[in-house]
Amino acid sequence: VQTCALPIWPRIRSRIEEHNEVIIPKNDFYKLCSEEGIGIQDECDKLARVFHRLGFLLYYGDDHILKDIVFISPAIVANGIYSVLTSDSLAQKEGELDLGTLISALNNSLFPVEMHQYLLRLMRRFGLCFPYYNDNMYLIPELLGESEPSSANAFYPEACLNYLFHYDFLPHGLIPRLIVHTHTLSSPKDRWRKGVILSYANCKALIISDSIKHLVSVRIRHGLPTARREFLGIIRAY
């Protein structure tokens, strides 16, 4: 991109902003760049990544589903995701998102059905959801119920490896994002909005956030002491 004259960038951005679409094929982006003087695809990809970092568009060339498209209206995409997250029907289902709910929550003129796979993939990239039971069902942990399962009562501190994460300000959605990234280590009955129980190497870990005290507590029981410490290292890495 450094080899391109800088005035080209504003022209390309202006051309992008003239589009009414939310998503365009990457080949259309290449064509637009070529018309403005950038004819090498690698240079177009570099420019797309720069525009992505600047927030002008969203481009994920490393993603096997999103690599052939460009989100040219990030604000509209954000509004679409917000519409899904604040859907009444989704709240009633405690975050269980099926394709029917997605259709009812989105503006069909902006997000036709053929675009939904891209929006779902983007939500997964953002750590908002993960496949749940099958490819047509997703779970958004941010909308889980707040009731703690009875199984959490078995984690007596004196019988566990205990660890506390202290925060000046507890990040919003920390536990839901953890649930997304570790969903293969938990079961549906062991997830709730403020906590999760994970399983690894015959160990069980109870992880709970406390927004008032600005901390996250971890209690690990069962398993060998070495396995507990290893499990704690895995949790800390997330």
Side-chain angles (χ1 to χ4, degrees):
V1 171
Q2 287 82 357
T3 60
C4 302
L6 287 179
I8 292 177
W9 293 21
R11 293 205 304 270
I12 292 176
R13 182 187 175 190
S14 180
R15 291 277 305 274
I16 290 173
E17 291 175 342
E18 292 173 358
H19 280 263
N20 294 321
E21 297 92 343
V22 178
I23 295 174
I24 62 171
K26 185 168 67 173
N27 284 337
D28 286 358
F29 180 74
Y30 286 161
K31 181 181 178 181
L32 187 155
C33 290
S34 179
E35 290 172 352
E36 295 298 336
I38 304 179
I40 302 174
Q41 290 187 358
D42 284 347
E43 295 296 316
C44 297
D45 288 336
K46 290 178 184 177
L47 181 58
R49 289 193 290 271
V50 170
F51 278 0
H52 173 96
R53 289 194 291 270
L54 292 174
F56 299 155
L57 51 76
L58 297 173
Y59 171 62
Y60 296 92
D62 61 340
D63 190 288
H64 71 283
I65 292 178
L66 302 177
K67 64 183 177 65
D68 293 323
I69 58 136
V70 179
F71 295 91
I72 60 172
S73 300
I76 295 177
V77 170
N79 287 336
I81 292 175
Y82 180 77
S83 296
V84 174
L85 296 179
T86 56
S87 164
D88 289 338
S89 60
L90 190 60
Q92 293 171 4
K93 296 177 182 178
E94 295 191 341
E96 293 187 357
L97 173 64
D98 57 29
L99 298 182
T101 304
L102 198 63
I103 291 171
S104 65
L106 292 170
N107 183 322
N108 188 58
S109 62
L110 292 174
F111 300 97
V113 173
E114 58 268 22
M115 282 177 52
H116 291 182
Q117 61 169 321
Y118 301 128
L119 199 65
L120 281 170
R121 185 64 179 180
L122 197 59
M123 291 173 65
R124 292 184 63 183
R125 294 275 312 208
F126 291 164
L128 296 173
C129 67
F130 62 89
Y132 190 57
Y133 294 127
N134 57 60
D135 291 338
N136 296 319
M137 178 74 74
Y138 292 78
L139 181 69
I140 300 176
E142 186 74 36
L143 301 177
L144 283 169
E146 296 190 5
S147 298
E148 187 175 293
S150 58
S151 53
N153 298 327
F155 289 80
Y156 302 106
E158 59 273 16
C160 297
L161 170 62
N162 302 287
Y163 194 89
L164 291 177
F165 294 90
H166 292 273
Y167 297 87
D168 293 329
F169 178 77
L170 188 65
H172 178 72
L174 188 151
I175 294 296
R177 286 195 296 274
L178 175 67
I179 292 173
V180 170
H181 292 302
T182 62
H183 68 271
T184 58
L185 303 180
S186 66
S187 62
K189 63 182 177 59
D190 290 330
R191 304 172 185 139
W192 65 105
R193 194 176 305 180
K194 296 183 178 180
V196 63
I197 296 174
L198 305 178
S199 301
Y200 172 81
N202 295 321
C203 300
K204 293 278 189 179
L206 171 67
I207 307 172
I208 300 178
S209 66
D210 187 326
S211 58
I212 297 176
K213 296 181 179 179
H214 305 295
L215 59 80
V216 172
S217 65
V218 179
R219 297 178 184 176
I220 303 176
R221 68 187 183 101
H222 296 330
L224 297 173
T226 54
R228 293 189 190 188
R229 290 193 292 272
E230 181 181 0
F231 197 6
L232 177 60
I234 292 172
I235 294 169
R236 292 181 63 187
Y238 285 109

